[in-house]
Coordinates of all heavy atoms in Angstrom, one line a residue:
M374 N 7.8 11.6 24.3 CA 7.9 11.0 23.1 C 6.5 10.5 22.7 O 5.9 9.9 23.6 CB 8.9 9.8 23.0 CG 8.8 8.8 21.9 SD 10.0 7.6 21.8 CE 11.4 8.6 21.5
H375 N 6.1 10.5 21.5 CA 4.8 10.1 21.1 C 5.0 9.0 19.9 O 5.9 9.4 19.0 CB 3.9 11.1 20.6 CG 2.6 10.7 19.9 ND1 1.5 10.3 20.8 CD2 2.4 10.4 18.7 CE1 0.6 9.8 19.9 NE2 1.1 9.8 18.7
I376 N 4.4 8.0 20.0 CA 4.5 7.0 18.9 C 3.1 6.4 18.6 O 2.1 6.3 19.5 CB 5.4 5.8 19.2 CG1 4.9 4.9 20.2 CG2 6.8 6.3 19.3 CD1 5.5 3.6 19.9
D377 N 2.7 6.2 17.4 CA 1.6 5.3 17.0 C 2.1 4.1 16.5 O 3.1 3.9 15.8 CB 1.0 6.1 15.8 CG 0.1 7.4 16.2 OD1 -0.4 7.4 17.3 OD2 0.2 8.3 15.5
Y378 N 1.6 3.0 17.1 CA 1.9 1.6 16.9 C 0.7 0.8 16.3 O -0.3 0.8 16.8 CB 2.5 1.1 18.1 CG 2.9 -0.2 18.1 CD1 4.3 -0.6 17.6 CD2 2.2 -1.4 18.6 CE1 4.7 -2.0 17.6 CE2 2.6 -2.7 18.4 CZ 4.0 -2.9 18.0 OH 4.5 -4.2 17.9
E379 N 1.1 0.1 15.2 CA 0.1 -0.9 14.6 C 0.3 -2.2 15.1 O 1.3 -2.9 14.8 CB 0.1 -0.8 13.2 CG -0.2 0.5 12.6 CD -0.2 0.5 11.0 OE1 -0.4 -0.5 10.5 OE2 0.0 1.5 10.5
P380 N -0.5 -2.7 16.1 CA -0.2 -4.0 16.7 C -0.5 -5.1 15.7 O -1.3 -5.0 14.7 CB -1.3 -4.1 17.9 CG -2.3 -3.0 17.6 CD -1.7 -2.0 16.7
Q381 N 0.1 -6.2 16.0 CA 0.0 -7.4 15.1 C -0.6 -8.5 15.9 O -0.2 -8.9 17.0 CB 1.5 -7.8 14.6 CG 2.3 -6.7 14.0 CD 1.8 -6.3 12.7 OE1 1.4 -7.1 11.9 NE2 1.5 -5.0 12.5
G382 N -1.4 -9.3 15.1 CA -2.1 -10.5 15.7 C -3.1 -10.4 16.7 O -3.4 -11.4 17.4
V383 N -3.6 -9.1 16.8 CA -4.8 -8.8 17.8 C -5.8 -8.1 17.2 O -5.8 -7.7 16.1 CB -4.1 -8.1 19.0 CG1 -3.1 -8.9 19.8 CG2 -3.6 -6.8 18.6
C384 N -6.9 -7.8 17.9 CA -8.1 -7.2 17.4 C -7.9 -5.6 17.4 O -8.6 -5.1 16.5 CB -9.3 -7.5 18.3 SG -9.8 -9.2 18.3
S385 N -7.2 -5.1 18.2 CA -6.9 -3.6 18.2 C -6.1 -3.3 16.9 O -5.3 -4.1 16.5 CB -6.3 -3.1 19.5 OG -4.9 -3.8 19.6
R386 N -6.5 -2.0 16.4 CA -5.8 -1.5 15.1 C -4.7 -0.6 15.2 O -3.9 -0.5 14.3 CB -6.9 -1.1 14.3 CG -8.0 -2.1 13.8 CD -9.1 -1.4 13.0 NE -9.6 -0.3 13.5 CZ -10.6 -0.1 14.4 NH1 -11.1 -1.2 14.9 NH2 -11.1 1.0 14.8
L387 N -4.7 0.2 16.3 CA -3.7 1.3 16.5 C -3.5 1.6 18.1 O -4.6 1.6 18.7 CB -4.2 2.6 15.8 CG -3.2 3.7 15.8 CD1 -1.9 3.4 15.0 CD2 -3.9 4.9 15.3
M388 N -2.4 1.8 18.3 CA -2.0 2.2 19.8 C -1.2 3.5 19.6 O -0.3 3.5 19.1 CB -1.2 1.2 20.5 CG -2.0 -0.2 20.8 SD -1.1 -1.4 21.6 CE -2.3 -2.5 21.9
S389 N -1.8 4.5 20.4 CA -1.1 5.7 20.5 C -0.6 5.9 21.9 O -1.3 5.8 22.9 CB -2.2 6.8 20.2 OG -1.7 8.1 20.4
V390 N 0.8 6.1 22.0 CA 1.3 6.0 23.2 C 2.3 7.3 23.5 O 3.0 7.7 22.6 CB 2.3 4.8 23.4 CG1 3.0 4.7 24.8 CG2 1.5 3.5 23.1
D391 N 2.3 7.9 24.7 CA 3.1 9.0 25.0 C 3.9 8.6 26.2 O 3.3 8.0 27.3 CB 2.3 10.2 25.4 CG 1.6 10.8 24.1 OD1 2.3 11.0 23.2 OD2 0.4 10.9 24.2
V392 N 5.2 8.8 26.3 CA 6.1 8.6 27.3 C 6.9 9.9 27.6 O 7.4 10.5 26.6 CB 7.1 7.4 27.0 CG1 8.0 7.2 28.1 CG2 6.2 6.1 26.8
D393 N 7.0 10.4 28.8 CA 7.8 11.6 29.1 C 9.2 11.4 29.1 O 9.7 10.2 29.0 CB 7.2 12.3 30.3 CG 7.6 11.6 31.6 OD1 8.4 10.7 31.6 OD2 7.0 12.0 32.6
A394 N 10.0 12.3 29.3 CA 11.5 12.3 29.3 C 12.1 11.4 30.4 O 13.1 10.8 30.1 CB 12.1 13.7 29.4
E395 N 11.3 11.2 31.5 CA 11.8 10.3 32.5 C 11.2 8.9 32.3 O 11.4 8.0 33.2 CB 11.2 10.8 33.9 CG 11.8 12.2 34.4 CD 11.3 13.4 33.8 OE1 10.1 13.4 33.5 OE2 12.2 14.2 33.4
G396 N 10.6 8.6 31.2 CA 10.2 7.2 30.9 C 8.9 6.9 31.6 O 8.5 5.6 31.6
I397 N 8.2 7.9 31.9 CA 6.8 7.6 32.5 C 5.7 7.6 31.5 O 5.7 8.5 30.6 CB 6.5 8.6 33.7 CG1 7.6 8.6 34.7 CG2 5.1 8.3 34.3 CD1 7.8 7.3 35.5
V398 N 4.8 6.7 31.5 CA 3.7 6.6 30.5 C 2.7 7.7 30.9 O 2.3 7.7 32.1 CB 3.0 5.2 30.7 CG1 1.8 5.2 29.6 CG2 4.0 4.1 30.3
T399 N 2.4 8.6 30.0 CA 1.6 9.7 30.3 C 0.3 9.7 29.7 O -0.7 10.1 30.1 CB 2.2 11.1 29.8 OG1 2.5 11.1 28.5 CG2 3.5 11.4 30.6
D400 N 0.1 8.8 28.5 CA -1.1 8.6 27.9 C -1.1 7.5 26.9 O 0.0 7.2 26.3 CB -1.5 9.9 27.0 CG -3.0 9.9 26.6 OD1 -3.8 9.3 27.4 OD2 -3.2 10.3 25.5
V401 N -2.2 6.7 26.9 CA -2.3 5.5 26.0 C -3.7 5.5 25.5 O -4.7 5.6 26.2 CB -2.1 4.2 26.7 CG1 -2.1 3.0 25.8 CG2 -0.7 4.2 27.3
K402 N -3.9 5.5 24.2 CA -5.2 5.3 23.6 C -5.1 4.1 22.7 O -4.0 3.9 22.0 CB -5.7 6.6 22.8 CG -5.9 7.8 23.6 CD -6.3 8.9 22.8 CE -6.7 10.1 23.7 NZ -5.5 10.8 24.2
V403 N -6.1 3.2 22.5 CA -6.1 2.0 21.7 C -7.4 2.1 20.9 O -8.5 2.3 21.5 CB -6.1 0.8 22.6 CG1 -6.1 -0.4 21.6 CG2 -4.9 0.9 23.5
M404 N -7.2 1.8 19.6 CA -8.4 1.8 18.7 C -8.7 0.4 18.4 O -7.7 -0.3 17.9 CB -8.2 2.8 17.4 CG -8.4 4.1 17.5 SD -7.4 5.1 18.9 CE -5.9 5.3 18.0
G405 N -9.9 0.1 18.6 CA -10.3 -1.4 18.3 C -10.0 -2.2 19.5 O -9.6 -1.7 20.5
G406 N -10.4 -3.4 19.4 CA -10.1 -4.4 20.5 C -11.3 -4.4 21.6 O -12.4 -3.8 21.3
C407 N -11.1 -5.0 22.6 CA -12.1 -5.1 23.7 C -12.2 -3.8 24.4 O -11.4 -3.5 25.4 CB -11.9 -6.2 24.7 SG -11.8 -7.8 23.8
H408 N -13.0 -2.9 24.0 CA -13.1 -1.5 24.6 C -12.9 -1.4 26.2 O -12.0 -0.7 26.6 CB -14.3 -0.8 24.1 CG -14.3 0.7 24.6 ND1 -13.4 1.6 23.8 CD2 -15.1 1.4 25.3 CE1 -13.7 2.9 24.4 NE2 -14.7 2.7 25.2
G409 N -13.8 -2.0 26.8 CA -13.7 -1.9 28.4 C -12.4 -2.3 29.0 O -11.8 -1.7 29.8
N410 N -11.9 -3.5 28.5 CA -10.7 -4.0 29.0 C -9.5 -3.1 28.6 O -8.6 -2.9 29.6 CB -10.4 -5.4 28.5 CG -11.3 -6.5 29.0 OD1 -11.9 -6.4 30.1 ND2 -11.4 -7.4 28.2
L411 N -9.4 -2.7 27.4 CA -8.4 -1.7 27.1 C -8.4 -0.4 27.8 O -7.4 0.2 28.1 CB -8.3 -1.6 25.6 CG -7.8 -2.9 24.8 CD1 -8.2 -2.8 23.3 CD2 -6.4 -3.0 25.2
Q412 N -9.7 0.1 28.1 CA -9.7 1.4 28.8 C -9.2 1.1 30.2 O -8.4 2.0 30.7 CB -11.1 1.8 29.0 CG -11.7 2.5 27.9 CD -13.2 3.0 28.2 OE1 -14.0 2.2 28.7 NE2 -13.5 4.2 27.8
G413 N -9.4 0.0 30.9 CA -8.8 -0.3 32.2 C -7.3 -0.4 32.0 O -6.6 0.1 32.9
I414 N -6.8 -1.1 31.1 CA -5.3 -1.2 31.0 C -4.7 0.0 30.9 O -3.8 0.3 31.5 CB -5.0 -2.3 29.8 CG1 -5.4 -3.6 30.2 CG2 -3.5 -2.1 29.4 CD1 -5.4 -4.6 29.0
C415 N -5.3 0.9 30.0 CA -4.8 2.2 29.7 C -4.8 3.1 31.0 O -3.7 3.8 31.2 CB -5.5 3.0 28.6 SG -5.3 2.2 26.9
A416 N -5.8 3.0 31.7 CA -5.8 3.8 33.1 C -4.7 3.3 34.0 O -4.2 4.0 34.8 CB -7.3 3.6 33.6
L417 N -4.6 1.9 34.0 CA -3.7 1.3 34.9 C -2.3 1.6 34.7 O -1.4 1.7 35.7 CB -3.8 -0.2 35.2 CG -5.2 -0.6 35.8 CD1 -5.2 -2.2 35.5 CD2 -5.1 -0.3 37.2
V418 N -1.8 1.8 33.5 CA -0.4 2.0 33.1 C -0.1 3.4 33.1 O 1.2 3.8 33.3 CB 0.0 1.4 31.7 CG1 -0.4 -0.1 31.7 CG2 -0.8 2.2 30.5
K419 N -1.1 4.4 33.1 CA -0.6 5.9 33.1 C 0.0 6.2 34.5 O -0.5 5.8 35.5 CB -2.0 6.6 33.0 CG -2.5 6.7 31.5 CD -3.6 7.6 31.3 CE -4.3 7.5 30.0 NZ -5.5 8.2 29.9
G420 N 1.1 6.9 34.3 CA 1.8 7.3 35.6 C 2.9 6.3 36.0 O 3.6 6.6 37.0
R421 N 2.9 5.2 35.3 CA 3.9 4.1 35.7 C 5.0 4.2 34.7 O 5.0 4.6 33.6 CB 3.2 2.7 35.6 CG 2.2 2.4 36.7 CD 1.6 1.1 36.6 NE 2.7 0.1 36.8 CZ 2.5 -1.3 36.5 NH1 1.3 -1.6 36.0 NH2 3.4 -2.1 36.7
P422 N 6.3 3.8 35.3 CA 7.4 3.8 34.4 C 7.2 2.8 33.3 O 6.8 1.6 33.5 CB 8.5 3.3 35.3 CG 8.0 3.5 36.7 CD 6.6 3.4 36.7
A423 N 7.5 3.2 32.0 CA 7.3 2.4 30.9 C 8.1 1.0 31.0 O 7.5 -0.1 30.6 CB 7.7 3.1 29.6
A424 N 9.3 1.1 31.5 CA 10.0 -0.3 31.7 C 9.3 -1.2 32.6 O 9.2 -2.4 32.5 CB 11.5 0.1 32.2
E425 N 8.6 -0.7 33.6 CA 7.9 -1.6 34.5 C 6.6 -2.1 33.9 O 6.3 -3.3 33.9 CB 7.4 -0.7 35.8 CG 6.6 -1.5 36.9 CD 6.4 -0.5 37.9 OE1 7.1 0.0 38.7 OE2 5.0 -0.3 38.2
V426 N 6.0 -1.3 33.1 CA 4.8 -1.7 32.4 C 5.2 -2.8 31.3 O 4.5 -3.8 31.2 CB 4.1 -0.6 31.6 CG1 2.9 -1.1 30.7 CG2 3.6 0.5 32.5
I427 N 6.3 -2.7 30.6 CA 6.8 -3.7 29.6 C 7.1 -4.9 30.4 O 6.6 -6.0 29.9 CB 8.1 -3.1 29.0 CG1 7.7 -2.0 28.1 CG2 8.8 -4.3 28.3 CD1 9.1 -1.2 27.6
D428 N 7.8 -4.9 31.6 CA 8.0 -6.2 32.3 C 6.7 -6.8 32.7 O 6.7 -8.1 32.8 CB 8.9 -5.9 33.4 CG 10.2 -5.6 33.2 OD1 10.7 -5.8 32.0 OD2 11.0 -5.0 34.0
T429 N 5.7 -6.1 33.1 CA 4.4 -6.6 33.6 C 3.6 -7.2 32.6 O 3.0 -8.3 32.7 CB 3.6 -5.5 34.3 OG1 4.4 -5.0 35.3 CG2 2.3 -6.0 34.9
L430 N 3.6 -6.5 31.2 CA 2.7 -7.0 30.3 C 3.2 -8.0 29.1 O 2.5 -8.7 28.6 CB 2.1 -5.7 29.5 CG 1.3 -4.8 30.4 CD1 0.8 -3.7 29.5 CD2 0.2 -5.5 31.1
R431 N 4.6 -8.0 29.0 CA 5.1 -8.7 28.1 C 4.8 -10.2 28.3 O 5.1 -10.8 29.3 CB 6.7 -8.5 28.0 CG 7.4 -9.4 26.9 CD 8.6 -8.9 26.6 NE 8.3 -7.8 25.6 CZ 9.3 -6.8 25.3 NH1 10.4 -6.8 25.9 NH2 9.0 -5.8 24.5
G432 N 4.5 -10.9 27.1 CA 4.4 -12.3 27.2 C 2.8 -12.7 27.4 O 2.6 -14.0 27.4
I433 N 2.0 -11.8 27.9 CA 0.6 -12.1 28.1 C 0.0 -12.6 26.7 O 0.2 -12.0 25.7 CB -0.2 -11.1 28.6 CG1 0.3 -10.8 30.1 CG2 -1.8 -11.3 28.7 CD1 -0.3 -9.5 30.8
R434 N -0.7 -13.7 26.7 CA -1.4 -14.3 25.5 C -3.0 -14.2 25.6 O -3.5 -14.3 26.6 CB -1.0 -15.7 25.3 CG 0.5 -15.8 25.0 CD 1.0 -17.2 24.9 NE 0.3 -17.9 23.8 CZ 0.7 -19.0 23.4 NH1 1.7 -19.7 23.9 NH2 0.1 -19.6 22.3
C435 N -3.5 -14.1 24.4 CA -5.0 -14.0 24.4 C -5.4 -15.2 23.7 O -5.2 -15.5 22.5 CB -5.5 -12.7 23.6 SG -7.2 -12.6 23.4
R436 N -6.2 -16.0 24.6 CA -6.7 -17.3 23.9 C -5.7 -18.1 23.3 O -4.6 -18.3 24.0 CB -8.0 -17.1 23.1 CG -9.1 -16.4 23.8 CD -10.4 -16.3 23.0 NE -11.3 -15.5 23.6 CZ -11.7 -14.2 23.2 NH1 -11.1 -13.6 22.3 NH2 -12.7 -13.7 23.9
D437 N -5.8 -18.6 22.1 CA -4.8 -19.4 21.4 C -3.8 -18.6 20.6 O -3.0 -19.1 19.8 CB -5.6 -20.4 20.5 CG -6.5 -19.7 19.4 OD1 -6.8 -18.6 19.5 OD2 -6.8 -20.5 18.5
K438 N -3.8 -17.3 20.8 CA -2.9 -16.4 20.0 C -1.5 -16.4 20.6 O -1.3 -16.6 21.9 CB -3.4 -15.0 19.9 CG -4.8 -14.9 19.2 CD -5.3 -13.4 19.2 CE -6.7 -13.3 18.5 NZ -7.2 -12.0 18.5
L439 N -0.5 -16.0 19.9 CA 0.7 -16.0 20.4 C 1.1 -14.6 21.1 O 2.1 -14.4 21.7 CB 1.8 -16.2 19.4 CG 1.8 -17.6 18.8 CD1 2.8 -17.6 17.6 CD2 2.0 -18.7 19.8
T440 N 0.1 -13.7 21.1 CA 0.2 -12.4 21.6 C -1.2 -11.9 22.2 O -2.1 -12.7 22.3 CB 0.8 -11.3 20.6 OG1 1.2 -10.1 21.3 CG2 -0.2 -11.2 19.5
S441 N -1.1 -10.7 22.6 CA -2.4 -10.1 23.2 C -2.3 -8.5 23.1 O -1.2 -8.1 22.8 CB -2.6 -10.4 24.6 OG -1.6 -9.8 25.4
C442 N -3.4 -7.9 23.3 CA -3.2 -6.4 23.3 C -2.3 -5.9 24.4 O -1.6 -5.0 24.1 CB -4.6 -5.8 23.5 SG -5.6 -6.0 22.0
P443 N -2.3 -6.5 25.7 CA -1.2 -6.0 26.6 C 0.1 -6.3 26.1 O 1.0 -5.5 26.4 CB -1.6 -6.8 27.8 CG -3.1 -7.2 27.7 CD -3.3 -7.3 26.3
D444 N 0.3 -7.4 25.6 CA 1.7 -7.8 25.0 C 2.1 -6.9 23.9 O 3.2 -6.4 23.9 CB 1.7 -9.2 24.5 CG 3.1 -9.6 24.0 OD1 4.1 -9.7 24.8 OD2 3.1 -10.1 22.7
Q445 N 1.1 -6.4 23.1 CA 1.4 -5.5 22.0 C 1.7 -4.1 22.5 O 2.4 -3.4 22.0 CB 0.2 -5.5 21.0 CG 0.3 -6.7 20.1 CD 1.4 -6.8 19.2 OE1 1.7 -6.1 18.3 NE2 2.2 -8.0 19.5
L446 N 0.9 -3.8 23.6 CA 1.2 -2.5 24.2 C 2.8 -2.6 24.9 O 3.4 -1.6 24.7 CB 0.3 -2.2 25.4 CG 0.6 -0.9 26.2 CD1 0.6 0.3 25.3 CD2 -0.6 -0.8 27.2
A447 N 3.2 -3.6 25.4 CA 4.6 -3.7 25.8 C 5.5 -3.6 24.6 O 6.5 -2.9 24.7 CB 4.8 -5.1 26.5
C448 N 5.1 -4.2 23.4 CA 5.9 -3.8 22.3 C 6.0 -2.4 21.8 O 7.0 -1.9 21.4 CB 5.3 -4.7 21.1 SG 5.5 -6.5 21.3
A449 N 4.9 -1.8 21.8 CA 4.8 -0.3 21.5 C 5.7 0.5 22.6 O 6.4 1.4 22.1 CB 3.3 0.1 21.6
L450 N 5.6 0.2 23.8 CA 6.5 0.9 24.7 C 7.9 0.6 24.5 O 8.8 1.5 24.6 CB 6.1 0.6 26.1 CG 4.6 1.2 26.6 CD1 4.2 0.6 27.9 CD2 4.8 2.6 26.7
S451 N 8.2 -0.6 24.1 CA 9.6 -0.9 23.9 C 10.2 -0.1 22.7 O 11.3 0.5 22.7 CB 9.7 -2.5 23.5 OG 9.5 -3.3 24.7
K452 N 9.3 0.0 21.7 CA 9.6 0.9 20.6 C 9.8 2.2 21.0 O 10.8 2.9 20.5 CB 8.6 0.7 19.5 CG 8.9 1.5 18.2 CD 7.7 1.3 17.2 CE 8.1 2.2 16.0 NZ 7.0 2.0 14.9
A453 N 9.0 2.8 21.9 CA 9.2 4.2 22.3 C 10.4 4.4 23.1 O 11.0 5.4 23.0 CB 7.9 4.5 23.2
L454 N 10.8 3.3 23.8 CA 12.1 3.4 24.6 C 13.3 3.1 23.7 O 14.4 3.2 24.2 CB 12.0 2.6 25.9 CG 10.9 2.9 26.9 CD1 11.0 2.0 28.0 CD2 11.1 4.3 27.3
G455 N 13.1 2.6 22.5 CA 14.3 2.3 21.7 C 14.8 1.0 22.1 O 16.0 0.6 21.8
K456 N 14.0 0.0 22.7 CA 14.5 -1.3 23.1 C 14.1 -2.4 22.1 O 13.1 -2.4 21.6 CB 14.0 -1.7 24.5 CG 14.6 -0.7 25.5 CD 14.1 -1.1 26.8 CE 14.8 -0.3 27.9 NZ 14.4 -0.7 29.2

């Protein structure tokens, strides 16, 4: 499954996420935001179960914001899984 997700409340503008039929994250691309950090996050989540990534990233906050790019990635994956 492929989704394009527009994150809210963060610097990144678009998250492109692919999850296979077994629920494994196969690809993540993020436009905007802190390029190096997001490249690292994308590399770390590839090959992991989406549900595990959601549990790991959900609730992370960036500075004084109520969310973060990792938290928004968890939201994107939740949408991909229909949760």
Side-chain angles (χ1 to χ4, degrees):
M374 165 180 290
H375 174 85
I376 67 157
D377 287 322
Y378 181 80
E379 292 184 28
Q381 304 295 311
V383 296
C384 300
S385 58
R386 296 180 310 276
L387 183 68
M388 295 181 173
S389 178
V390 181
D391 292 305
V392 178
D393 70 13
E395 288 80 41
I397 304 298
V398 178
T399 58
D400 194 33
V401 178
K402 292 183 178 79
V403 181
M404 281 55 90
C407 303
H408 186 67
N410 289 336
L411 289 167
Q412 278 185 317
I414 291 167
C415 292
L417 289 169
V418 303
K419 285 182 191 173
R421 290 181 62 195
E425 180 181 298
V426 174
I427 293 166
D428 289 343
T429 302
L430 300 181
R431 177 154 288 155
I433 293 175
R434 295 174 63 169
C435 182
R436 297 185 185 108
D437 60 343
K438 298 177 183 178
L439 297 177
T440 189
S441 66
C442 289
D444 183 57
Q445 288 297 296
L446 178 55
C448 292
L450 289 168
S451 292
K452 183 177 176 182
L454 296 182
K456 293 184 176 184

